[in-house]
Amino acid sequence: MNRYDFCRILVAGLTVDETQSLLGGLFEGTFERRTLTVGGVEIEVRRNPDAQNDEGQSSGFVQWPVQIETEPMTPHGETAAVETVSRMLEALWGAQAQAVAACDFEDELPWQGGIQLLRPSNPARPG
């Protein structure tokens, strides 16, 4: 398994359906059974099974209500993983949602995958 094989993004401030609509528009695609394939990367959006509630933010991002998982389906998907996840994060932040990526390549993503946005010593979030 290489470092680009999997990424999870946790989201607060949007529902599963709103997240799918946003990402479908971003990538000009259609979700089928909560899954969209873009440039060799499979994107799945669903309710986070660890969520505290559906209302929004809990004390920890691992309990935010929406979970996006990405997985490369082709060798090209591995090289596209960083770009795809970065675009999703920026779109989510632009929609005023909170989003944090949990993956082995966080260091290659904007705001370290969003975790830097949760730290009080950093300036206001992008968007």
Side-chain angles (χ1 to χ4, degrees):
M1 184 165 161
N2 81 40
R3 66 188 255 135
Y4 302 101
D5 282 348
F6 177 82
C7 187
R8 180 185 323 177
I9 302 171
L10 297 153
V11 180
L14 295 175
T15 66
V16 168
D17 290 339
E18 291 167 337
T19 302
Q20 281 187 316
S21 178
L22 177 73
L23 298 180
L26 175 68
F27 294 114
E28 298 177 356
T30 302
F31 278 83
E32 293 185 27
R33 296 187 180 175
R34 305 260 180 233
T35 302
L36 172 69
T37 302
V38 175
V41 177
E42 188 172 88
I43 301 166
E44 181 180 4
V45 179
R46 63 178 179 221
R47 185 183 183 285
N48 179 3
D50 297 323
Q52 290 274 319
N53 60 54
D54 289 331
E55 296 301 314
Q57 303 165 29
S58 67
S59 60
F61 71 88
V62 296
Q63 297 172 333
W64 287 353
V66 177
Q67 174 177 287
I68 303 167
E69 292 184 352
T70 67
E71 181 179 358
M73 303 309 292
T74 67
H76 173 70
E78 292 176 10
T79 59
V82 174
E83 179 184 346
T84 301
V85 172
S86 294
R87 287 183 65 196
M88 286 191 293
L89 287 170
E90 290 169 353
L92 291 161
W93 297 329
Q96 304 304 306
Q98 286 199 287
V100 173
C103 50
D104 289 339
F105 56 93
E106 294 162 13
D107 58 319
E108 298 179 53
L109 299 171
W111 296 90
Q112 298 292 300
I115 197 69
Q116 285 184 340
L117 296 174
L118 299 180
R119 296 189 178 127
S121 63
N122 285 305
R125 58 187 246 178

